[in-house]
Amino acid sequence: MVEIFDMLRDIIFDVLDDKELKITRETSAEDIEDWDSLAQISIISSCESAFGIRFELSEVLQMKNVGDTVDLIMEKIK
Amino acid sequence: MIKELKYPINGEEIIKKKKYLKRQFLDLSDFTEVRIAILSGSTIGDIADILELFLFSYEIKPIFYIGNYNQYYEETLFNTKDLISFRPDIILIHTTSRNVLDKDIFSKLNQVWEHIQKMHGCIIIQNNFELLYNHISEISELNTKIDEYKNKTFYVNDIRYLSAVYGLDEWLDNRSYYLYGYAFNVKAVPMFCHNIAIIIKSIYGKNHKCIVVDLDNTIWGGIVGEVGAEGIELGKGTALGEAYLDFQKFLKKMHSFGIILAACSKNNETIAKEAFTNSNMVLQLDDFAVFCANWNEKSNNIIHISKSLNILPQHLVFVDDNPAEREQVSSVLPQVAIIESNFVTDFIRYIDRGGYFYSEVYLEEDIRRNEYYRNEVKRKVVEVNSNNYGDYLSSLTMAAKIEPFSDAHIERITTLINKTNQFNLTGQRYSLNEVKKISINNNFVTLYADLNDKFGSSGIISALISEVIEGSAHVRLWVMSCRVFKRDVELAVFDSLVEECLKRGIKKIFGYYHKTDRNEFVSKLYESLGFYKSLGEVWVFDVDKGYVPCNKYIRMRKE
């Protein structure tokens, strides 16, 4: 669980090009100015390649914050 | 060149690193400013960020106007005020297959184009359409109609082709659309932007000019020094031989379009030249403007090539099968575009798709360029054999036509303005439209020069724009092609300027020198023409009736 969170956090750091960001399970795109649609898609596709999964449209819509995303990835790689 | 922004494009990586990549461009001061309006039929906001990176890599600084979501039609035809006050140089119409099923799409687009030509007179870049299952023939027909509209101010961004290269199923990944309104897969955005940037830089005269090739295992198989001229692999007999043959045919074709060829090989010169006696050889020794076969470091040879052709290293493309040689060149000359592959089977695709020489229509100027460079070599021979430089210049029997800008030459003049860096006093850039307007404005004195000599014509090689304010002429722009440096053309142009000023009763000429990274060459020009220094880099010349022309070697021709 912690590992997935850490990996996702690193992906977010990477895409947003900022290692100082404070990321928690509650963090969402609204909290971070540079987290625009291109960044969002980039985070999603990085997760897809990193974990070898694919998110369906309905699943992307469910991902409201970092915690949701971690849980969804968890479920998919189980 | 920044590796990430070169073919082959890794879209995911560029999107991820876009901020990092932007930080690599620190000094934009010498970049050409281009005002680009993007009008769209789907989401585009973030496309501008990526497009900007590619334009930066071509030394173009874009200023964007971003249209509203899916309002391309309304914004050009009805709500036009903002767009007019933006004064676009280029309008990019970003429609995609998301718009293709709109009613009367072609007549809609046609109205938009006609209206833009009338209202803005600027360049249009129009996407064509990717194929959709069940609509293939309609879309193909539409694309043909778009192609037929092509002209010097209308360019097509060929997404039908891009989507095929990317893979249509991947390209049409509709999650990007339903989530964020992107018409196609977001990961394809960088490749899409690369293609637009290639079109724009070619319009602004920023294409590469010369291909430098290694010889052994690059344009033929094997090492000629070991196997001899008839032993090298070239021609239809073997699989590899055929690949090398095709690459030579490709280079020959590029050469016929005006791309300069140069050779750079670690070799014994005599042996390397002997290879060209091979009966299957397509390229001739004559096709190479410079032929370097020696044991020097390749970067030194490339510097030599760049100097003897008077072409900046950033306008060279280097092909070499040996990664160590490529690395050596790139470490000394990072600005050279290097084809990053060891395999002859990749070379054509990398050069073509890299867009280094992209051109919708090969301009007559480009095709004649090789002739200029060949003549230049002949001139050098005369120069060496002359007693002094004056004798050399008079033996060339040069003749120039120096006249105000006229409609027939506006495009060539604009290209010259935007691609000249060394003999460029102010670094000022002008769009086609601006040059057109200036050419018919009485408050400007404009001059262009067209030069020929006994070896042939050099075409239009210099342009000058001066603005008349309260009886003084202010030289806003003065450029001259490096092809004719040290031939006294600037003296002939200046004589004509003074003549025109005398006619108009202009008493003073103000010259400006704005230092850029590359125009050191002309830092002393105004001084040498007899201007005196006013403030900073402002120079003044008093026009008086007793003016004695400076030019001695160039005859004026009128026609």
Side-chain angles (χ1 to χ4, degrees):
Chain A
M1 191 76 171
V2 174
E3 281 160 34
I4 292 174
F5 178 85
D6 287 351
M7 281 173 78
L8 178 58
R9 191 193 51 202
D10 288 347
I11 287 171
I12 295 169
F13 284 167
D14 211 19
V15 171
L16 300 178
D17 193 28
D18 186 350
K19 302 218 171 340
E20 310 295 313
L21 291 170
K22 210 173 147 333
I23 308 280
T24 66
R25 276 187 64 89
E26 280 66 47
T27 308
S28 75
E30 278 85 61
D31 303 326
I32 296 168
E33 202 193 329
D34 286 335
W35 198 326
D36 55 15
S37 64
L38 207 57
Q40 173 71 359
I41 295 179
S42 185
I43 290 168
I44 292 170
S45 70
S46 297
C47 288
E48 289 182 335
S49 350
F51 297 102
I53 52 177
R54 178 186 156 93
F55 297 116
E56 293 309 323
L57 181 58
S58 55
E59 293 168 335
V60 176
L61 294 171
Q62 279 171 36
M63 304 188 312
K64 300 286 181 228
N65 58 27
V66 170
D68 290 345
T69 311
V70 171
D71 296 343
L72 189 64
I73 294 169
M74 233 349 231
E75 202 160 299
K76 287 198 165 266
I77 60 175
K78 218 166 30 191
Chain B
M1 276 187 106
I2 294 178
K3 279 208 168 86
E4 285 86 346
L5 298 175
K6 250 174 56 179
Y7 181 84
I9 303 290
N10 180 338
E12 220 172 329
E13 195 184 353
I14 290 175
I15 291 174
K16 229 177 176 175
K17 288 181 158 178
K18 68 175 178 175
K19 293 219 175 103
Y20 160 81
L21 291 170
K22 188 166 180 178
R23 284 200 303 270
Q24 307 308 302
F25 298 96
L26 296 170
D27 180 13
L28 310 183
S29 54
D30 277 347
F31 286 19
T32 308
E33 217 172 80
V34 181
R35 307 177 69 83
I36 304 170
I38 311 181
L39 306 179
S40 82
S42 57
T43 294
I44 38 166
D46 303 317
I47 286 182
D49 289 349
I50 307 280
L51 179 56
E52 180 182 62
L53 294 175
F54 285 105
L55 289 171
F56 281 170
S57 77
Y58 297 121
E59 304 188 329
I60 291 171
K61 183 177 150 201
I63 296 173
F64 287 114
Y65 170 97
I66 309 288
N68 292 313
Y69 182 78
N70 207 0
Q71 296 279 310
Y72 72 97
Y73 183 68
E74 293 78 359
E75 263 174 315
T76 36
L77 263 57
F78 311 119
N79 311 321
T80 54
K81 226 174 69 200
D82 290 352
L83 191 56
I84 288 173
S85 60
F86 174 70
R87 292 184 296 110
D89 297 314
I90 294 175
I91 294 182
L92 173 65
I93 303 171
H94 177 55
T95 46
T96 65
S97 63
R98 288 283 161 194
N99 312 95
V100 81
L101 305 177
D102 292 2
K103 236 172 121 197
D104 294 331
I105 176 75
F106 185 75
S107 77
K108 229 170 139 177
L109 288 173
N110 208 49
Q111 279 179 56
V112 167
W113 305 334
E114 300 282 322
H115 205 77
I116 290 174
Q117 305 275 17
K118 213 169 69 203
M119 300 296 292
H120 305 280
C122 67
I123 286 164
I124 299 172
I125 301 178
Q126 168 71 53
N127 287 351
N128 60 11
F129 296 93
E130 62 273 60
L131 299 177
L132 291 182
Y133 189 67
N134 270 341
H135 300 281
I136 291 174
S137 66
E138 304 157 57
I139 296 177
S140 301
E141 201 179 306
L142 181 59
N143 284 340
T144 307
K145 282 198 214 156
I146 294 174
D147 272 342
E148 282 166 1
Y149 199 85
K150 274 187 199 167
N151 62 55
K152 281 177 184 162
T153 57
F154 184 89
Y155 294 79
V156 176
N157 179 35
D158 197 350
I159 68 175
R160 162 196 48 186
Y161 174 77
L162 292 180
S163 61
V165 169
Y166 197 80
L168 202 46
D169 280 346
E170 270 293 301
W171 175 277
L172 292 172
D173 175 27
N174 54 20
R175 287 179 306 166
S176 300
Y177 180 72
Y178 294 121
L179 283 169
Y180 305 107
Y182 283 94
F184 49 80
N185 194 325
V186 172
K187 286 183 259 176
V189 165
M191 176 190 181
F192 168 88
C193 292
H194 180 229
N195 209 54
I196 295 171
I198 286 170
I199 297 174
I200 295 176
K201 64 99 183 171
S202 81
I203 295 172
Y204 280 82
K206 289 175 181 284
N207 271 349
H208 286 68
K209 293 179 182 156
C210 171
I211 306 180
V212 181
V213 289
D214 168 47
L215 301 174
D216 291 331
N217 289 318
T218 297
I219 66 167
W220 58 68
I223 294 165
V224 66
E226 289 170 8
V227 296
E230 285 306 320
I232 57 179
E233 214 168 347
L234 182 67
K236 295 215 157 146
T238 64
L240 258 182
E242 192 164 359
Y244 288 110
L245 184 71
D246 278 348
F247 185 44
Q248 286 208 7
K249 284 182 184 161
F250 171 82
L251 293 171
K252 189 88 177 179
K253 196 179 82 195
M254 297 302 274
H255 179 260
S256 76
F257 288 146
I259 309 304
I260 301 158
L261 300 181
C264 175
S265 166
K266 284 204 172 146
N267 237 315
N268 171 294
E269 185 172 344
T270 317
I271 293 173
K273 286 189 169 165
E274 257 169 38
F276 288 83
T277 60
N278 180 299
S279 49
N280 290 329
M281 199 65 74
V282 173
L283 292 169
Q284 315 277 296
L285 266 176
D286 255 14
D287 296 333
F288 295 91
V290 185
F291 194 90
C292 291
N294 53 43
W295 304 98
N296 301 340
E297 288 209 292
K298 293 218 169 178
S299 58
N300 287 341
N301 280 331
I302 289 178
I303 291 167
H304 168 74
I305 290 167
S306 150
K307 285 203 173 128
S308 52
L309 295 171
N310 219 343
I311 292 175
L312 296 168
Q314 52 262 53
H315 295 137
L316 305 177
V317 173
F318 178 54
V319 190
D320 193 317
D321 66 299
N322 184 340
E325 297 292 0
R326 298 200 300 268
E327 186 53 42
Q328 194 276 324
V329 171
S330 122
S331 68
V332 181
L333 299 165
Q335 64 274 50
V336 172
I338 297 175
I339 299 301
E340 292 297 347
S341 172
N342 307 351
F343 310 107
V344 63
T345 43
D346 284 338
F347 295 159
I348 298 176
R349 177 166 55 96
Y350 275 50
I351 295 172
D352 249 351
R353 298 273 303 288
Y356 304 103
F357 306 100
Y358 177 86
S359 182
E360 274 287 340
V361 273
Y362 284 92
L363 298 172
E364 198 196 340
E365 274 309 309
D366 293 332
I367 295 173
R368 281 162 50 192
R369 196 189 297 140
N370 264 307
E371 193 189 316
Y372 301 142
Y373 283 100
R374 264 200 305 277
N375 292 337
E376 194 55 31
V377 175
K378 291 185 199 150
R379 287 188 192 101
K380 287 247 162 76
V381 174
V382 178
E383 184 183 337
V384 172
N385 294 325
S386 299
N387 292 326
N388 63 52
Y389 202 72
D391 282 358
Y392 160 65
L393 288 181
S394 60
S395 75
L396 290 177
T397 56
M398 292 182 284
K401 185 167 84 172
I402 302 180
E403 285 178 356
F405 292 0
S406 61
D407 236 20
H409 307 302
I410 293 286
E411 277 156 38
R412 166 64 189 152
I413 290 168
T414 308
T415 311
L416 183 70
I417 290 173
N418 288 306
K419 72 176 179 193
T420 305
N421 296 312
Q422 299 177 68
F423 191 113
N424 186 339
L425 273 306
T426 55
Q428 183 71 38
R429 306 295 189 189
Y430 292 89
S431 68
L432 189 67
N433 228 4
E434 287 167 326
V435 178
K436 259 189 207 157
K437 282 184 186 148
I438 287 171
S439 73
I440 51 172
N441 184 335
N442 229 343
N443 293 325
F444 286 87
V445 175
T446 61
L447 293 169
Y448 75 87
D450 179 310
L451 183 75
N452 63 9
D453 66 11
K454 69 173 177 187
F455 292 111
S457 162
S458 300
I460 294 177
I461 39 62
S462 185
L464 181 148
I465 294 176
S466 65
E467 188 176 4
V468 183
I469 303 172
E470 294 169 358
S472 297
H474 297 259
V475 181
R476 303 292 185 214
L477 167 112
W478 190 357
V479 296
M480 188 169 85
S481 163
C482 52
R483 282 180 208 152
V484 295
F485 280 4
K486 296 204 277 186
R487 305 264 291 275
D488 282 6
V489 178
E490 64 278 25
L491 303 183
V493 171
F494 187 65
D495 288 346
S496 300
L497 176 66
V498 172
E499 194 184 321
E500 183 60 29
C501 287
L502 282 168
K503 259 191 236 162
R504 292 199 186 204
I506 291 166
K507 295 277 189 304
K508 276 186 187 328
I509 299 172
F510 286 83
Y512 301 87
Y513 172 67
H514 298 161
K515 193 173 164 39
T516 67
D517 277 356
R518 305 191 192 147
N519 68 357
E520 180 58 34
F521 184 74
V522 287
S523 60
K524 303 267 188 308
L525 177 74
Y526 284 122
E527 197 179 342
S528 73
L529 289 171
F531 282 63
Y532 57 88
K533 203 167 185 173
S534 160
L535 280 170
E537 285 299 339
V538 182
W539 296 81
V540 187
F541 186 85
D542 292 317
V543 181
D544 91 69
K545 292 208 176 64
Y547 177 78
V548 184
C550 326
N551 155 45
K552 287 188 289 212
Y553 301 108
I554 304 172
R555 184 174 58 81
M556 287 299 130
R557 67 189 155 89
K558 301 265 174 205
E559 66 222 58

